């Protein structure tokens, strides 16, 4: 399968813990995006990379959130000191220049 | 920030019926995309429309882009249970990231 891969698919953690998600984009795609989707809503943009450079961050991305794409391939999204409101589906997408985005199946985060 | 409003929010119909869902904005879309998302999965791109007045067909799905590029519709003919899912419209609004509507959740009963 050469689609966008996200791990883990589901993460359950206690409030206050740190969590990290991984996204492996389609190999030739140089753009990578993170979105968050809560129940009953469409995805909301969090941040975007072109190669290894983080070019845009949403105001939704608080100081507790950090994303990296160190070698311009896979990306990680870390949430520190998780809160109840962080419970959501975290979606990763990738694309080539000016081409449609392809989404992974997401990581569902549940905060106890 | 451009807001995309989708209607209806929820639609439950019987197999074989036709339906139309809508996506509207107060601003002009540079382009518009329609996605379908099934539970536990990511959105899957159905179509991109770019030109005002454009009509695209994908089997039983017909997508229309308004002349002023502020609205779009998706019409499904003879809906099937496999059409069940969340239908999302999205626009890049000139930015690289997508802005999504809140979606129309479609349930097709056999």
């Amino acid at each position: 399968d050469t689609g966008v891969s996200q791990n883990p698919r589901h993460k359950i953690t206690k409030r206050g813990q740190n969590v990290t998600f991984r996204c492996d984009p389609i190999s030739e795609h140089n753009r990578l995006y993170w979105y968050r989707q809560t129940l009953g809503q469409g995805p909301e943009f969090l941040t975007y990379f072109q190669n290894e450079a983080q070019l845009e961050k949403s105001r939704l991305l608080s100081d507790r959130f950090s994303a990296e794409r160190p070698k311009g391939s896979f990306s990680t999204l870390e949430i520190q000191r998780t809160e109840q409101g962080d419970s959501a589906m975290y979606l990763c997408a990738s694309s080539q220049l000016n081409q449609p985005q392809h989404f992974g199946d997401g990581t569902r985060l549940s905060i106890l | 920030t451009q807001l995309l409003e989708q209607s209806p929010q929820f639609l439950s119909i019987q197999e074989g019926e036709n339906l139309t869902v809508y996506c509207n904005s107060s601003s002009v879309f540079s382009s518009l995309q329609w996605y379908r998302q099934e539970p536990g999965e990511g959105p899957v791109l159905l179509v991109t429309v770019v030109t005002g007045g454009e009509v695209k067909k994908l089997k039983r799905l017909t997508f229309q882009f308004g002349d002023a590029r502020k609205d779009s519709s998706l019409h499904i003919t003879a809906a099937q249970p496999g059409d069940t899912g969340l239908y999302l419209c999205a626009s890049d609004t000139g930015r690289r990231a997508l802005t999504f509507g809140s979606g129309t959740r479609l349930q097709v009963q056999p």
Side-chain angles (χ1 to χ4, degrees), chain B residues 34-57:
Chain B
W34 283 94
Y35 288 82
R36 182 171 69 206
Q37 184 178 24
E38 299 190 29
E41 298 183 8
V44 175
L45 179 67
L46 297 174
V47 77
T48 300
V49 287
V50 178
T51 306
E54 185 175 4
V55 176
K56 283 191 173 180
K57 291 192 175 184

Side-chain angles (χ1 to χ4, degrees), chain A residues 9 31 33 35 37 40-43 45 48 56 91 100-101 103-105, chain B residues 33 35 37 40-43 45 48 86 88 95-98 100-102:
Chain A
R9 291 297 314 277
R31 292 183 174 176
Y33 311 78
Y35 293 84
Q37 185 176 24
Q41 298 297 319
F45 169 70
Y48 147 69
E56 190 172 352
L91 292 162
Q101 295 179 29
F103 284 81
D105 287 336
Chain B
Q33 298 172 16
Y35 288 82
Q37 184 178 24
E41 298 183 8
L45 179 67
T48 300
L86 178 67
L88 294 159
R95 301 163 61 227
R96 292 178 180 86
L98 293 171
F100 282 87
S102 57

